[in-house]
Short mmCIF file of all heavy atoms in Angstrom, two decimals:
data_model
loop_
_atom_site.label_atom_id
_atom_site.label_comp_id
_atom_site.label_asym_id
_atom_site.label_seq_id
_atom_site.Cartn_x
_atom_site.Cartn_y
_atom_site.Cartn_z
N ALA A 335 63.45 92.07 86.83
CA ALA A 335 62.54 91.34 85.96
C ALA A 335 61.08 91.56 86.38
O ALA A 335 60.20 91.68 85.53
CB ALA A 335 62.88 89.85 85.98
N LEU A 336 60.84 91.64 87.68
CA LEU A 336 59.48 91.88 88.16
C LEU A 336 59.02 93.30 87.84
O LEU A 336 57.83 93.53 87.58
CB LEU A 336 59.40 91.64 89.67
CG LEU A 336 59.37 90.18 90.11
CD1 LEU A 336 59.50 90.07 91.63
CD2 LEU A 336 58.08 89.49 89.65
N LEU A 337 59.95 94.26 87.83
CA LEU A 337 59.57 95.62 87.45
C LEU A 337 58.97 95.65 86.05
O LEU A 337 58.00 96.36 85.78
CB LEU A 337 60.79 96.55 87.50
CG LEU A 337 61.35 96.93 88.87
CD1 LEU A 337 62.52 97.89 88.72
CD2 LEU A 337 60.27 97.55 89.76
N ARG A 338 59.54 94.86 85.17
CA ARG A 338 59.03 94.82 83.79
C ARG A 338 57.65 94.17 83.71
O ARG A 338 56.95 94.33 82.70
CB ARG A 338 60.04 94.08 82.90
CG ARG A 338 61.40 94.75 82.86
CD ARG A 338 62.42 94.00 82.02
NE ARG A 338 63.72 94.62 82.14
CZ ARG A 338 64.12 95.70 81.47
NH1 ARG A 338 63.29 96.27 80.60
NH2 ARG A 338 65.32 96.21 81.65
N GLU A 339 57.28 93.46 84.77
CA GLU A 339 55.95 92.87 84.85
C GLU A 339 54.98 93.81 85.57
O GLU A 339 53.81 93.47 85.76
CB GLU A 339 56.00 91.53 85.59
CG GLU A 339 56.91 90.49 84.97
CD GLU A 339 56.28 89.83 83.75
OE1 GLU A 339 55.04 89.79 83.67
OE2 GLU A 339 57.04 89.37 82.89
N GLY A 340 55.49 94.96 86.02
CA GLY A 340 54.65 95.91 86.73
C GLY A 340 54.45 95.58 88.20
O GLY A 340 53.46 96.00 88.80
N VAL A 341 55.40 94.86 88.80
CA VAL A 341 55.31 94.49 90.21
C VAL A 341 56.58 94.97 90.93
O VAL A 341 57.69 94.62 90.53
CB VAL A 341 55.16 92.97 90.39
CG1 VAL A 341 55.19 92.59 91.88
CG2 VAL A 341 53.87 92.49 89.75
N ILE A 342 56.40 95.78 91.96
CA ILE A 342 57.54 96.30 92.73
C ILE A 342 57.62 95.56 94.06
O ILE A 342 56.66 95.54 94.83
CB ILE A 342 57.39 97.81 93.01
CG1 ILE A 342 57.07 98.59 91.74
CG2 ILE A 342 58.67 98.35 93.64
CD1 ILE A 342 56.78 100.06 91.99
N VAL A 343 58.77 94.95 94.33
CA VAL A 343 59.03 94.30 95.61
C VAL A 343 60.33 94.89 96.16
O VAL A 343 60.90 95.81 95.59
CB VAL A 343 59.13 92.76 95.46
CG1 VAL A 343 57.81 92.20 94.96
CG2 VAL A 343 60.27 92.37 94.53
N ARG A 344 60.80 94.37 97.27
CA ARG A 344 62.03 94.87 97.89
C ARG A 344 63.10 93.79 97.82
O ARG A 344 62.99 92.75 98.49
CB ARG A 344 61.76 95.25 99.34
CG ARG A 344 62.93 95.90 100.05
CD ARG A 344 63.24 97.26 99.49
NE ARG A 344 64.06 98.05 100.41
CZ ARG A 344 64.67 99.18 100.10
NH1 ARG A 344 64.57 99.65 98.86
NH2 ARG A 344 65.39 99.84 100.99
N PRO A 345 64.17 94.01 97.03
CA PRO A 345 65.27 93.03 97.02
C PRO A 345 66.14 93.23 98.26
O PRO A 345 66.50 94.36 98.60
CB PRO A 345 66.03 93.39 95.75
CG PRO A 345 65.79 94.86 95.56
CD PRO A 345 64.41 95.13 96.11
N LEU A 346 66.47 92.16 98.93
CA LEU A 346 67.29 92.27 100.15
C LEU A 346 68.77 92.14 99.86
O LEU A 346 69.59 92.40 100.73
CB LEU A 346 66.86 91.21 101.17
CG LEU A 346 65.39 91.26 101.60
CD1 LEU A 346 65.14 90.26 102.72
CD2 LEU A 346 65.00 92.66 102.04
N GLY A 347 69.12 91.73 98.67
CA GLY A 347 70.53 91.50 98.36
C GLY A 347 71.40 92.71 98.52
O GLY A 347 72.58 92.61 98.88
N GLY A 348 70.86 93.92 98.30
CA GLY A 348 71.68 95.12 98.40
C GLY A 348 71.62 95.80 99.74
O GLY A 348 72.18 96.87 99.92
N MET A 349 70.90 95.21 100.71
CA MET A 349 70.76 95.84 102.01
C MET A 349 71.89 95.37 102.93
O MET A 349 72.11 94.19 103.13
CB MET A 349 69.40 95.53 102.62
CG MET A 349 68.24 96.08 101.77
SD MET A 349 66.62 95.63 102.41
CE MET A 349 66.54 96.61 103.91
N GLU A 350 72.60 96.33 103.50
CA GLU A 350 73.83 96.06 104.24
C GLU A 350 73.63 95.07 105.38
O GLU A 350 74.48 94.24 105.66
CB GLU A 350 74.39 97.38 104.79
CG GLU A 350 75.83 97.30 105.24
CD GLU A 350 76.80 97.13 104.08
OE1 GLU A 350 76.43 97.37 102.93
OE2 GLU A 350 77.95 96.75 104.36
N ALA A 351 72.49 95.16 106.08
CA ALA A 351 72.27 94.31 107.25
C ALA A 351 71.72 92.95 106.89
O ALA A 351 71.35 92.18 107.76
CB ALA A 351 71.31 95.01 108.22
N CYS A 352 71.65 92.64 105.60
CA CYS A 352 70.99 91.39 105.17
C CYS A 352 71.95 90.42 104.51
O CYS A 352 71.59 89.72 103.57
CB CYS A 352 69.83 91.72 104.23
SG CYS A 352 68.51 92.57 105.07
N GLY A 353 73.19 90.39 104.97
CA GLY A 353 74.11 89.42 104.43
C GLY A 353 73.55 88.02 104.57
O GLY A 353 72.94 87.68 105.58
N GLY A 354 73.73 87.18 103.54
CA GLY A 354 73.17 85.85 103.58
C GLY A 354 71.80 85.75 102.97
O GLY A 354 71.26 84.66 102.82
N LEU A 355 71.21 86.88 102.61
CA LEU A 355 69.91 86.89 101.96
C LEU A 355 70.02 87.56 100.59
O LEU A 355 69.14 88.29 100.17
CB LEU A 355 68.88 87.63 102.83
CG LEU A 355 68.42 86.89 104.09
CD1 LEU A 355 67.56 87.78 104.97
CD2 LEU A 355 67.65 85.63 103.72
N SER A 356 71.12 87.30 99.93
CA SER A 356 71.39 87.97 98.66
C SER A 356 70.43 87.55 97.55
O SER A 356 70.37 88.21 96.51
CB SER A 356 72.83 87.68 98.21
OG SER A 356 73.03 86.29 98.02
N GLN A 357 69.68 86.48 97.76
CA GLN A 357 68.73 86.02 96.76
C GLN A 357 67.28 86.18 97.23
O GLN A 357 66.38 85.58 96.67
CB GLN A 357 69.00 84.55 96.40
CG GLN A 357 70.37 84.34 95.76
CD GLN A 357 70.72 82.87 95.60
OE1 GLN A 357 71.53 82.31 96.34
NE2 GLN A 357 70.09 82.23 94.64
N ALA A 358 67.09 87.01 98.23
CA ALA A 358 65.77 87.12 98.86
C ALA A 358 65.03 88.39 98.44
O ALA A 358 65.62 89.44 98.22
CB ALA A 358 65.91 87.09 100.38
N LEU A 359 63.71 88.25 98.37
CA LEU A 359 62.81 89.37 98.10
C LEU A 359 61.85 89.50 99.27
O LEU A 359 61.28 88.50 99.73
CB LEU A 359 61.98 89.12 96.84
CG LEU A 359 62.72 88.79 95.54
CD1 LEU A 359 61.72 88.38 94.48
CD2 LEU A 359 63.55 89.99 95.08
N ARG A 360 61.67 90.72 99.75
CA ARG A 360 60.62 90.97 100.75
C ARG A 360 59.40 91.49 100.00
O ARG A 360 59.48 92.49 99.28
CB ARG A 360 61.09 92.02 101.76
CG ARG A 360 60.13 92.19 102.95
CD ARG A 360 60.48 93.42 103.75
NE ARG A 360 60.22 94.64 102.98
CZ ARG A 360 60.58 95.87 103.36
NH1 ARG A 360 61.25 96.03 104.49
NH2 ARG A 360 60.31 96.92 102.61
N ILE A 361 58.27 90.82 100.18
CA ILE A 361 57.06 91.13 99.43
C ILE A 361 55.93 91.47 100.41
O ILE A 361 55.56 90.64 101.25
CB ILE A 361 56.64 89.95 98.53
CG1 ILE A 361 57.81 89.55 97.61
CG2 ILE A 361 55.41 90.31 97.71
CD1 ILE A 361 57.57 88.28 96.82
N THR A 362 55.42 92.68 100.32
CA THR A 362 54.33 93.11 101.18
C THR A 362 53.06 92.33 100.85
O THR A 362 52.77 92.06 99.68
CB THR A 362 54.06 94.61 100.98
OG1 THR A 362 55.27 95.34 101.20
CG2 THR A 362 52.98 95.11 101.93
N ILE A 363 52.30 91.99 101.87
CA ILE A 363 51.00 91.36 101.65
C ILE A 363 50.02 92.43 101.16
O ILE A 363 49.82 93.46 101.81
CB ILE A 363 50.47 90.72 102.95
CG1 ILE A 363 51.48 89.69 103.49
CG2 ILE A 363 49.11 90.09 102.71
CD1 ILE A 363 51.82 88.58 102.53
N GLY A 364 49.41 92.18 100.01
CA GLY A 364 48.45 93.12 99.44
C GLY A 364 47.04 92.59 99.52
O GLY A 364 46.72 91.70 100.32
N THR A 365 46.17 93.13 98.69
CA THR A 365 44.83 92.58 98.56
C THR A 365 44.92 91.24 97.83
O THR A 365 45.97 90.90 97.25
CB THR A 365 43.94 93.53 97.75
OG1 THR A 365 44.47 93.65 96.42
CG2 THR A 365 43.87 94.91 98.40
N ALA A 366 43.84 90.51 97.80
CA ALA A 366 43.84 89.20 97.12
C ALA A 366 44.23 89.36 95.65
O ALA A 366 45.00 88.55 95.12
CB ALA A 366 42.47 88.55 97.25
N GLU A 367 43.73 90.40 95.00
CA GLU A 367 44.04 90.61 93.59
C GLU A 367 45.51 91.02 93.39
O GLU A 367 46.18 90.55 92.47
CB GLU A 367 43.12 91.67 92.99
CG GLU A 367 43.43 92.06 91.56
CD GLU A 367 43.42 90.88 90.59
OE1 GLU A 367 42.72 89.87 90.86
OE2 GLU A 367 44.12 90.96 89.56
N GLN A 368 46.01 91.88 94.25
CA GLN A 368 47.41 92.27 94.16
C GLN A 368 48.32 91.07 94.40
O GLN A 368 49.32 90.88 93.69
CB GLN A 368 47.72 93.37 95.19
CG GLN A 368 47.11 94.71 94.87
CD GLN A 368 47.29 95.70 96.01
OE1 GLN A 368 47.36 95.33 97.19
NE2 GLN A 368 47.36 96.98 95.67
N ASN A 369 47.99 90.25 95.38
CA ASN A 369 48.77 89.05 95.64
C ASN A 369 48.75 88.11 94.44
O ASN A 369 49.79 87.55 94.05
CB ASN A 369 48.24 88.32 96.87
CG ASN A 369 48.35 89.13 98.14
OD1 ASN A 369 49.22 89.99 98.27
ND2 ASN A 369 47.46 88.88 99.07
N ARG A 370 47.56 87.92 93.86
CA ARG A 370 47.45 87.03 92.70
C ARG A 370 48.34 87.50 91.56
O ARG A 370 49.07 86.71 90.96
CB ARG A 370 45.99 86.98 92.22
CG ARG A 370 45.77 86.03 91.03
CD ARG A 370 44.46 86.31 90.34
NE ARG A 370 44.39 87.65 89.78
CZ ARG A 370 45.01 88.01 88.65
NH1 ARG A 370 45.74 87.14 87.97
NH2 ARG A 370 44.91 89.25 88.21
N ARG A 371 48.30 88.79 91.29
CA ARG A 371 49.11 89.32 90.19
C ARG A 371 50.61 89.14 90.48
O ARG A 371 51.39 88.77 89.61
CB ARG A 371 48.80 90.78 89.95
CG ARG A 371 49.58 91.36 88.79
CD ARG A 371 49.10 92.71 88.40
NE ARG A 371 50.07 93.35 87.52
CZ ARG A 371 50.02 94.61 87.14
NH1 ARG A 371 49.02 95.38 87.56
NH2 ARG A 371 50.94 95.12 86.36
N ALA A 372 51.02 89.42 91.73
CA ALA A 372 52.43 89.29 92.08
C ALA A 372 52.89 87.84 92.03
O ALA A 372 54.00 87.53 91.58
CB ALA A 372 52.68 89.88 93.47
N ILE A 373 52.04 86.92 92.48
CA ILE A 373 52.38 85.49 92.46
C ILE A 373 52.55 85.02 91.02
O ILE A 373 53.52 84.32 90.69
CB ILE A 373 51.30 84.68 93.19
CG1 ILE A 373 51.38 84.92 94.70
CG2 ILE A 373 51.43 83.19 92.89
CD1 ILE A 373 50.16 84.45 95.48
N GLU A 374 51.63 85.40 90.15
CA GLU A 374 51.74 85.01 88.75
C GLU A 374 52.98 85.61 88.09
O GLU A 374 53.68 84.94 87.31
CB GLU A 374 50.48 85.45 87.99
CG GLU A 374 49.24 84.66 88.37
CD GLU A 374 48.00 85.12 87.62
OE1 GLU A 374 48.10 86.12 86.85
OE2 GLU A 374 46.93 84.50 87.81
N ALA A 375 53.28 86.87 88.43
CA ALA A 375 54.46 87.52 87.86
C ALA A 375 55.74 86.84 88.34
O ALA A 375 56.67 86.61 87.55
CB ALA A 375 54.47 89.00 88.24
N LEU A 376 55.80 86.50 89.63
CA LEU A 376 56.99 85.85 90.16
C LEU A 376 57.18 84.47 89.53
O LEU A 376 58.30 84.09 89.16
CB LEU A 376 56.89 85.73 91.68
CG LEU A 376 58.09 85.11 92.39
CD1 LEU A 376 59.37 85.90 92.13
CD2 LEU A 376 57.83 85.02 93.90
N ASP A 377 56.11 83.74 89.37
CA ASP A 377 56.18 82.43 88.74
C ASP A 377 56.71 82.55 87.30
O ASP A 377 57.59 81.79 86.88
CB ASP A 377 54.78 81.79 88.73
CG ASP A 377 54.79 80.36 88.19
OD1 ASP A 377 55.74 79.61 88.49
OD2 ASP A 377 53.86 80.01 87.46
N HIS A 378 56.20 83.53 86.58
CA HIS A 378 56.62 83.75 85.19
C HIS A 378 58.09 84.15 85.13
O HIS A 378 58.86 83.64 84.31
CB HIS A 378 55.73 84.82 84.56
CG HIS A 378 56.12 85.17 83.16
ND1 HIS A 378 56.69 86.38 82.82
CD2 HIS A 378 56.03 84.47 82.00
CE1 HIS A 378 56.93 86.40 81.51
NE2 HIS A 378 56.55 85.27 81.00
N VAL A 379 58.50 85.06 86.00
CA VAL A 379 59.87 85.56 85.99
C VAL A 379 60.86 84.46 86.34
O VAL A 379 61.91 84.31 85.69
CB VAL A 379 59.99 86.74 86.97
CG1 VAL A 379 61.45 87.01 87.34
CG2 VAL A 379 59.38 88.01 86.35
N LEU A 380 60.57 83.69 87.38
CA LEU A 380 61.50 82.64 87.79
C LEU A 380 61.66 81.58 86.69
O LEU A 380 62.77 81.07 86.46
CB LEU A 380 61.03 81.99 89.09
CG LEU A 380 61.05 82.89 90.34
CD1 LEU A 380 60.55 82.14 91.56
CD2 LEU A 380 62.46 83.44 90.60
#
Side-chain angles (χ1 to χ4, degrees):
L336 284 171
L337 288 182
R338 299 178 186 279
E339 301 283 334
V341 175
I342 310 174
V343 298
R344 185 67 162 168
L346 302 186
M349 297 176 70
E350 196 69 17
C352 293
L355 288 172
S356 61
Q357 296 171 255
L359 306 171
R360 188 192 68 189
I361 305 172
T362 305
I363 302 302
T365 63
E367 175 57 26
Q368 289 172 331
N369 297 333
R370 182 197 62 76
R371 182 170 166 189
I373 288 165
E374 290 179 356
L376 182 59
D377 185 39
H378 177 251
V379 162
L380 293 180

